[in-house]
Amino acid sequence: MAKDPLAEAGLHFDELNKLRVLDPDVSQKTTELKEECKDFVDKIVQFQKIVGGLIEMVDELAKEAEKEKMKAIGTRNLLKSVAKQREAQQQQLQALIAEERMQLERYRIEYEALSKVEAEQNEFIDQFMLQK
Amino acid sequence: MNQRLSNNNDTSLTDEARSPPSTDTITNFTKVQHVAKQVVLLIRRLSTGAGFVSTGKYRMRFKTSLLKEPKHKELVSCVGWITADEVYSCSEDHQILKWNLLTSETSVVVKLQEDIYPVDMHWFPKTIAGKKQALAEIFALTSTDGKFHMMSKTGRIEKSVEAHRGAVLASRWNYDGTALITAGEDGQIKIWSKSGMLRSTLAQQGCPVYSVAWGPDSDRILYTFGRQLIIKPLQPSSKSLQWKAHDGIILKVDWNSVNDLILSGGEDCKYKVWDSYGRPLYSSSPHDYPITSVAWAPDGEVFAMGSFNTLRLCDKTGWSYALEKPNTGSVFSLAWSADGTQLAGACGNGQVIFAHIVEQRWEWKNFEITLTKRHTMQVRNVLNDAVDTLEFRDRVIKASLSHSHLVVATALQCLVYNTKNWNTPLILDLKEGTVSMILQAERHFLLVDGGGIYVYSYEGRLVCAPKFPGMRTDILNAQTVSLSNDTIAVRDKADEKVVHLFDAQTGKPIGDGKPLTHKMEVMEIALDQCGASNDRKIALIDKNNDLYLTSARRLGREQRMHKIGSMVHTMVWNDSANILCGIQDNQFTVWYYPSAVFVDKDLLPNTLFTKDASEFSSAPHILNYTGTQVTVRRADGSLVYGGVPPYPTMLHEYTGSARWEEALHLCHFAKDQALWACLAGMAMANRELNTAETAYAAIREVDKVQYIKFIKDLPSKESTLAHILLFSGQVQEAEATLLQAGLIYQAIQIHIDLFNWDRALELAVKHKTHVDTVLAHRQKFLQDFGKEETNKRFLQYSEGVEVDWEKIQSKIEMELAKERERAASSSVGSSMASRR
């Protein structure tokens, strides 16, 4: 094939017979590449957006998890302290019960003493009536 | 029960014999029922677990009040009452707050400098020996920087004194306000004058002194030394008393001036009560937290104790009336108001807790009175369950129920109710606010306040206001004052051996004005309540716990004290007869007729009624002895009742109204040796010889029967009287009676019979008669015992006198004949006179 002197000079004609400095093939490929690159960049951006959203979401989740964790710890502590509180309350109630018990014992003794007096007096009345 | 009672009413004995058992039984029975009801209620509450918040009804307790939010931002370290309704509190937030309880307002008095952290405060004492203090009201405030500050009522710092290295932990004014004592972290105790000049450093030791208190006379102080307590007299030469009191560091002490008892609380979580000799009287069971505060009520009847979330009201014997569990943190300091009805506490969480005593109870016969609120009382008649409510204008400070009258002292008034009528009280206005004691007798009652002792009749008339030099009314209590219908007895404080006696009608000292002086310190006195005023007797327990009886009305001559018991801890007279009961060692003893010692000492042991007192446990206290029932408070606080046979009361009644026949009947009926012995004593005291003879015969005292027979045969009144006096061992009085009647021979003869030779000879020589009689008897006595004459006087007189028994006999005959003749003529004369 005869060498195209134009080609040698670096000039080409395209399909529309317009004079071109670049080989139309190359030019076409470049354009293709450019297109592809653009596509690629678009996709990357989109990807970034998605990943960003994801990260945000995960972050939020983490925060949430952290919060829940703290809550759990708090509740656990509270539970522990409630147990202690109950213990204190129980202690207080125990003290009051002991007090009431003592009072009950006093009443019991008083009751017994009075019953005894009653019995004595009944006996006395019986005797009194027999003797008359 | 009713069946039996109605049967009982049909018995044919006299009314008096019938009534005591029946009414008493009704009262008792209803009381039993009532207590049983309470027990059931309590058990029900305990088993259901409900209602722990409100403590048991009808039991003295605290009613507390706390604000929702604390007013102080930091812990409150100390509180003090300025009036009956105003409290100052100091806190670590540097504020001093004033609390007005009437208006429930709180105001900031002053905000202290940032570097002053208050520790303790004490108001300058208000009354000094009964006189009102006109001085500006100041208080001493101690702080952690080693200073104490004199603060005025307005919160101005009048003076700051560098007192200790480290914090000043406590400060107390003495009772007359002449000295202030401070105790510091550096272990020193210093005394300061009122103006803040250092007087002396009383003690120096290696550990901090946490608390300090003055003794009742301001002549001793009590302070803590680690686990030990020390009582140190201010006089440098006298010895101090030190003892180990707790198993942990002692944090607070208090010493009451009325009952002379000491309170201590420490880190071993116990509180203890001591007497002023350091003997333990009570030790509590351990609490959950250290005891951070203790405080006596001014009248010494109760005290309060504070710990973490704990406030307790206790009896002076230590047992606890009630426990409160307020949300306060530790109660660091407690202060009672001057009238002893309200309490303020400094709390660790910035609160100030206020409490007043409610549900105090009084009982008498079938009436039961409860202080339901500060201003309200509920009267319950247990016989018919009738309930009355008494409302007062002011707070009730003291009350007393006895002898059919209720006497109530409020802040400004004294109200007297009759148990028959609860609607219209008699109202007296009080001059000085705080009544510290009320005593009742059948006819009148006695009030003690800061200014003096006053006796009022139940009609509201001021009967008298007895006084004696050096009288301090602020320290009188029921053990040291006694009232009967005609006599008042008050034990002196400066000299505890002395008892002042006053006529209750005039308020003047009885007799020659000299008080009764015992050889030992007197701990408790009690006047008998019945009978004629001339027979008034006073019983007293001295420091050795010996019980003595003597006459309160001494007519000229000195009366002897008769010891009638030992190891007696508590005693009470009966309200309706002169019967005394007490707890002697571990025996419950009733002296049916204590006056027997004045008639016939040997009789006394026979007139006792004793019962084992083990049911009263240790250290019981007799509250009252009404009718036939004795009420005893045990050391653990429970009430125990004991019955005494009703016969002695009846016997007292019969003999008191000279119904000897009936008295004899009663003794025959009861068949009780003790009763016969009582009758013997009573009859002899009233010179009722026939009854006495029978009674002595019944208790098989043959010698006494013989002697009474002999007395009955005596020809003249004078010698009868003399021999009756001789019978009760009053030789001097007997001799005086005979000499007065001119019966010299008879006087000599009684001394001869008593082998009282010296006196017999002395009389004979003095009256120049019967010297030979004395000598003759002496010779015979010596011969009988195979002895030689050694008495110089007898040797001297026997020289000049010849003994001729026949002559002597005839002389004696003559004397007796003379006496008979005289007696006959005088009786004729008197009968003539009576006829005229």
Side-chain angles (χ1 to χ4, degrees), chain B residues 418-445:
Chain B
N418 193 312
T419 49
K420 291 194 191 89
N421 177 3
W422 296 107
N423 296 323
T424 45
L426 193 102
I427 301 175
L428 304 166
D429 283 323
L430 292 173
K431 279 171 247 157
E432 194 155 350
T434 50
V435 170
S436 59
M437 185 167 66
I438 304 172
L439 279 184
Q440 286 182 268
E442 201 186 327
R443 275 192 221 147
H444 41 234
F445 64 95

XYZ file of all heavy atoms in Angstrom, chain B residues 418-445:
229
model
N -61.563 18.189 137.295
C -62.040 17.162 138.196
C -62.422 15.962 137.339
O -62.960 16.127 136.253
C -63.248 17.696 138.965
C -63.593 16.802 140.115
O -63.690 15.586 139.969
N -63.756 17.406 141.272
N -62.161 14.760 137.835
C -62.479 13.590 137.009
C -63.985 13.428 136.815
O -64.410 12.665 135.969
C -61.918 12.305 137.626
O -62.299 12.267 138.987
C -60.411 12.250 137.509
N -64.773 14.136 137.611
C -66.223 14.041 137.433
C -66.694 14.939 136.295
O -67.778 14.777 135.775
C -66.931 14.473 138.720
C -66.733 13.484 139.839
C -67.709 13.772 140.959
C -67.365 12.975 142.188
N -66.433 13.696 143.060
N -65.890 15.922 135.970
C -66.337 16.904 134.979
C -65.154 17.318 134.105
O -64.268 18.040 134.554
C -66.914 18.109 135.726
C -67.336 19.194 134.772
O -67.260 19.034 133.558
N -67.761 20.305 135.318
N -65.197 16.874 132.869
C -64.075 17.176 131.974
C -64.336 18.431 131.145
O -63.569 18.766 130.265
C -63.787 15.994 131.050
C -63.345 14.789 131.774
C -64.060 13.659 131.995
C -62.082 14.580 132.412
N -63.326 12.771 132.731
C -62.103 13.305 132.994
C -60.924 15.364 132.550
C -61.034 12.775 133.699
C -59.854 14.838 133.248
C -59.912 13.563 133.815
N -65.483 19.087 131.398
C -65.834 20.213 130.534
C -65.323 21.549 131.030
O -64.935 22.391 130.250
C -67.356 20.293 130.380
C -67.881 19.068 129.686
O -67.238 18.553 128.779
N -69.017 18.576 130.132
N -65.400 21.743 132.337
C -65.042 23.066 132.842
C -63.843 22.979 133.767
O -63.977 22.693 134.942
C -66.223 23.680 133.608
O -66.748 22.640 134.449
C -67.269 24.203 132.687
N -62.679 23.222 133.199
C -61.494 23.229 134.046
C -61.378 24.551 134.798
O -61.997 25.552 134.430
C -60.351 23.106 133.042
C -60.877 23.748 131.813
C -62.351 23.498 131.793
N -60.584 24.487 135.839
C -60.248 25.703 136.548
C -58.942 26.188 135.933
O -58.031 25.396 135.722
C -60.018 25.300 137.993
C -59.962 26.423 138.964
C -61.287 26.448 139.667
C -58.856 26.180 139.926
N -58.867 27.462 135.615
C -57.677 27.934 134.895
C -56.886 28.916 135.745
O -57.439 29.868 136.296
C -58.083 28.592 133.557
C -58.847 27.567 132.714
C -56.860 29.081 132.811
C -59.412 28.100 131.451
N -55.619 28.653 135.882
C -54.722 29.561 136.591
C -53.711 30.081 135.588
O -53.230 29.327 134.753
C -53.941 28.809 137.676
C -54.706 28.034 138.740
C -53.753 27.119 139.455
C -55.308 29.001 139.701
N -53.398 31.345 135.695
C -52.337 31.868 134.833
C -51.001 31.668 135.533
O -50.883 31.889 136.734
C -52.566 33.352 134.549
C -53.660 33.524 133.513
O -53.710 32.690 132.593
O -54.473 34.446 133.649
N -50.028 31.254 134.764
C -48.722 31.014 135.351
C -47.831 32.226 135.137
O -47.860 32.854 134.088
C -48.082 29.785 134.703
C -48.769 28.470 135.009
C -48.148 27.364 134.193
C -48.659 28.138 136.478
N -47.057 32.508 136.191
C -46.172 33.659 136.075
C -44.989 33.310 135.188
O -44.694 33.971 134.214
C -45.671 34.059 137.466
C -46.686 34.892 138.226
C -46.239 35.079 139.646
C -47.192 34.360 140.570
N -46.637 34.012 141.836
N -44.355 32.236 135.550
C -43.187 31.845 134.764
C -43.563 30.645 133.930
O -44.295 29.780 134.370
C -42.038 31.508 135.711
C -40.736 31.423 134.973
C -39.592 31.702 135.922
O -39.841 32.129 137.036
O -38.465 31.487 135.520
N -43.071 30.606 132.726
C -43.542 29.627 131.767
C -43.392 28.176 132.154
O -44.374 27.449 132.228
N -42.188 27.749 132.421
C -41.951 26.318 132.396
C -42.115 25.672 133.755
O -41.280 25.828 134.640
C -40.545 26.024 131.886
O -39.649 26.849 132.629
C -40.422 26.350 130.429
N -43.190 24.935 133.881
C -43.406 24.133 135.085
C -42.566 22.875 134.947
O -42.635 22.174 133.947
C -44.897 23.774 135.216
C -45.105 22.742 136.297
C -45.706 25.019 135.514
N -41.744 22.597 135.946
C -40.878 21.429 135.812
C -41.411 20.228 136.572
O -40.973 19.111 136.351
C -39.464 21.764 136.263
O -39.482 22.183 137.600
N -42.357 20.457 137.486
C -42.877 19.302 138.211
C -44.259 19.623 138.784
O -44.527 20.744 139.182
C -41.925 18.928 139.345
C -42.331 17.670 140.051
S -41.055 17.022 141.110
C -40.939 18.264 142.311
N -45.113 18.592 138.813
C -46.409 18.713 139.469
C -46.526 17.549 140.449
O -46.283 16.410 140.076
C -47.577 18.634 138.464
C -47.426 19.689 137.376
C -48.912 18.787 139.171
C -48.433 19.541 136.255
N -46.860 17.847 141.688
C -47.115 16.794 142.668
C -48.529 16.996 143.192
O -48.952 18.132 143.372
C -46.147 16.895 143.840
C -44.757 16.328 143.703
C -44.034 16.472 145.016
C -44.792 14.880 143.289
N -49.225 15.895 143.465
C -50.587 16.035 143.944
C -50.772 15.364 145.293
O -50.181 14.324 145.570
C -51.552 15.402 142.940
C -51.735 16.231 141.699
C -52.726 15.577 140.776
O -52.343 14.820 139.906
N -53.997 15.854 140.971
N -51.590 15.987 146.132
C -52.067 15.335 147.346
C -53.573 15.419 147.296
O -54.134 15.976 146.346
C -51.519 16.044 148.575
N -54.228 14.879 148.325
C -55.674 14.821 148.250
C -56.283 16.224 148.228
O -57.242 16.481 147.516
C -56.184 14.037 149.449
C -57.560 13.474 149.247
C -58.049 12.833 150.524
O -57.208 12.297 151.268
O -59.261 12.905 150.765
N -55.724 17.134 149.027
C -56.354 18.435 149.177
C -55.788 19.505 148.258
O -56.447 20.488 147.977
C -56.178 18.912 150.619
C -57.239 18.354 151.517
C -57.213 19.065 152.837
N -57.409 18.087 153.887
C -56.866 18.170 155.077
N -56.090 19.169 155.384
N -57.100 17.248 155.970
N -54.534 19.369 147.871
C -53.941 20.422 147.063
C -52.844 19.841 146.181
O -52.534 18.655 146.276
C -53.371 21.527 147.959
C -52.661 21.006 149.158
N -52.973 21.391 150.433
C -51.672 20.097 149.275
C -52.206 20.754 151.276
N -51.405 19.971 150.609
N -52.290 20.673 145.342
C -51.194 20.201 144.498
C -50.066 21.215 144.508
O -50.238 22.362 144.919
C -51.677 19.899 143.082
C -52.182 21.090 142.323
C -51.347 21.793 141.476
C -53.502 21.491 142.447
C -51.821 22.895 140.767
C -53.973 22.582 141.749
C -53.135 23.283 140.913
